[in-house]
Amino acid sequence: MAHALGAGASVSPSVGTDASLRKTGFKDHNKLRFDNKLWITLSSVNLKSRYSSTKYQFKVMSMSVQQAVRSKIPVQPLELENANEPPLNLYKPKEPYTATIVSVERLVGPKAPGETCHIVIDHGGNVPYWEGQSYGIIPPGENPKKPGSPHNVRLYSIASTRYGDSFDGKTASLCVRRAIYYDPETGKEDPSKNGTCSNFLCNSKPGDKIQLTGPSGKIMLLPEGDPNATHIMIATGTGVAPFRGYLRRMFMEAVTTYKFGGLAWLFLGVANTDSLLYDAEFSSYLKDYPDNFRYDKALSREQKNKNGGKMYVQDKIEEYSDEIFKLLDGGAHIYFCGLKGMMPGIQDTLKRVAEQRGESWDAKLSQLKKNKQWHVEVY
Ligand code: FAD
């Protein structure tokens, strides 16, 4: 797919996820192609500026410099950019939208416990959404609790920006972990009790039809009022989904209405290196935007915390607590997304840190909530 840059130049962006980024090399989108134009290269210069770690070749053409920098991917602004409110519940469970699976890709390596898939869905532009919203999916079949009725809707955070991984506003991506049931007595998998919808999604094939509802949710919308704001994102596992959307909006797409110049700081907690999600994508932002992006990983089965125990996101939060508290005092937004079980440990850590600083966590938390700095979506 090529996106016009003007003046006959176009880029071919990589649209995939970690695995395909690894395969194609994420930096492919920097390669400028000059369709049907005869450019006479007079010289090349290596430029070191904010991209100090890498040398970038600039071709000088006909006395004008055509910049071949790590450009963001141009997107044709959608009408959604002008709306004051996000789209909500355009499709309801009684009349869902029939969408089509574009691709299903395993995101994790062989040593990851469990499987997580990146699923791209074609909604034809008919189920638009904002970053941080969720889609509902109705798996096929009958609801075992209500014979004759369809299954209940399952919600999934959308892991792409409103432009989708195809950059045209026609797709949405989900990050889905298969729910597998292990018998507590035998320790063996019992397929009859595996999660219905997550397995349906991870088993689906390109071209399969799926029933969509939504979009829903306002809690995790990215506040864009101040493009220089600080956003601290705490994710466990698939909880990274909305943050992938935010980060692509901040660092990957050339969105004219949102020119991010603040700080985005992602804490991602997973079991081990093989379980990391979208790591190549996030690492590329670290290289390109070292002043605007921070990325800390907590690998519970590989790293130890300062007490010799497993490293969880709350241990990373504690490690950086001074900075985090200062940023919160300065108005930073903080987001939490992932399994419900993540919150008690995090809350305990934040409370302990606040007390060590001579602050009341309860008072601070209610102030953060009042200021709309505190955003939680756990499931
Ligand atoms: P279900 O069929 O609903 O089963 C639920 C659990 O019960 C499974 O673990 C299953 O193994 C177990 N089970 C089934 N039968 C039995 C039985 N007889 N006895 C004991 N146990 C049984 N998930 C993601 O992966 N990614 C996301 O981005 C995401 N975002 C979410 C956002 C929101 C706002 C919410 C609310 C949830 C989100 N979820 C997400 C969770 C998702 O909605 C589903 O809950 C999850 O995928 C499990 O659904 P399922 O149909 O596969 O499992």
Side-chain angles (χ1 to χ4, degrees), residues 33 50 53 76 118 122 135 175 199 202 205 215 228 233 238 258 301-302 321 337 351 378:
R33 217 176 49 220
R50 51 184 288 243
S53 59
Q76 195 62 43
H118 183 76
D122 183 350
Y135 269 170
C175 175
N199 283 279
C202 291
K205 300 275 172 287
N228 299 320
M233 298 161 271
T238 55
Y258 184 57
R301 299 193 191 176
E302 272 176 28
S321 54
C337 191
K351 195 175 167 68
V378 287

Side-chain angles (χ1 to χ4, degrees), residues 103-118:
S103 60
V104 177
E105 189 184 354
R106 181 182 161 100
L107 280 175
V108 293
K111 290 186 191 140
E115 182 171 55
T116 303
C117 297
H118 183 76

Side-chain angles (χ1 to χ4, degrees), residues 49-322:
S49 57
R50 51 184 288 243
Y51 301 98
S52 54
S53 59
T54 324
K55 288 175 181 170
Y56 286 81
Q57 279 219 323
F58 279 60
K59 302 283 184 196
V60 181
M61 284 159 275
S62 310
M63 300 308 286
S64 74
V65 178
Q66 187 74 40
Q67 292 194 342
V69 292
R70 213 178 275 263
S71 50
K72 288 188 176 179
I73 292 167
V75 284
Q76 195 62 43
L78 293 170
E79 261 178 51
L80 281 172
E81 299 290 352
N82 306 324
N84 293 324
E85 288 291 320
L88 273 179
N89 301 316
L90 303 176
Y91 291 89
K92 304 202 170 68
K94 287 216 166 107
E95 281 176 272
Y97 179 79
T98 303
T100 309
I101 296 282
V102 176
S103 60
V104 177
E105 189 184 354
R106 181 182 161 100
L107 280 175
V108 293
K111 290 186 191 140
E115 182 171 55
T116 303
C117 297
H118 183 76
I119 298 167
V120 180
I121 296 166
D122 183 350
H123 61 82
N126 298 307
V127 198
Y129 55 90
W130 281 6
E131 298 72 24
Q133 289 193 292
S134 300
Y135 269 170
I137 307 282
I138 307 172
E142 200 180 76
N143 187 336
K145 288 186 190 148
K146 278 192 224 151
S149 303
H151 280 291
N152 293 335
V153 171
R154 270 71 162 181
L155 294 178
Y156 293 91
S157 307
I158 299 172
S160 48
T161 71
R162 64 193 74 186
Y163 294 94
D165 291 1
S166 51
F167 303 104
D168 59 2
K170 296 197 169 143
T171 66
S173 304
L174 306 180
C175 175
V176 179
R177 183 180 168 90
R178 270 183 201 278
I180 303 287
Y181 184 85
Y182 294 97
D183 188 299
E185 280 175 16
T186 63
K188 288 203 176 129
E189 185 183 331
D190 179 349
S192 70
K193 294 179 181 170
N194 281 349
T196 308
C197 193
S198 57
N199 283 279
F200 159 67
L201 286 170
C202 291
N203 290 338
S204 58
K205 300 275 172 287
D208 285 355
K209 300 293 175 198
I210 57 165
Q211 303 300 311
L212 273 190
T213 67
S216 65
K218 285 174 121 183
I219 296 170
M220 294 294 281
L221 294 175
L222 176 63
E224 295 192 354
D226 175 7
N228 299 320
T230 295
H231 305 270
I232 304 169
M233 298 161 271
I234 322 279
T236 56
T238 55
V240 78
F243 307 138
R244 178 180 185 260
Y246 296 180
L247 294 169
R248 286 172 77 93
R249 187 154 172 89
M250 290 166 176
F251 301 125
M252 191 185 278
E253 295 170 353
V255 184
T256 47
T257 47
Y258 184 57
K259 293 193 172 145
F260 183 65
L263 173 69
W265 191 352
L266 173 66
F267 290 87
L268 175 58
V270 292
N272 55 19
T273 305
D274 267 18
S275 310
L276 283 167
L277 302 169
Y278 311 110
D279 187 54
E281 196 168 307
F282 300 151
S283 301
S284 78
Y285 305 144
L286 267 186
K287 271 205 201 110
D288 293 354
Y289 300 95
D291 298 335
N292 303 95
F293 184 51
R294 292 178 71 172
Y295 177 31
D296 283 279
K297 307 166 206 182
L299 308 176
S300 60
R301 299 193 191 176
E302 272 176 28
Q303 300 169 327
K304 295 258 177 284
N305 64 21
K306 67 178 181 2
N307 300 320
K310 289 182 173 180
M311 177 72 88
Y312 291 116
V313 274
Q314 58 266 33
D315 300 309
K316 282 281 163 195
I317 293 175
E318 190 163 12
E319 193 177 324
Y320 295 105
S321 54
D322 270 345

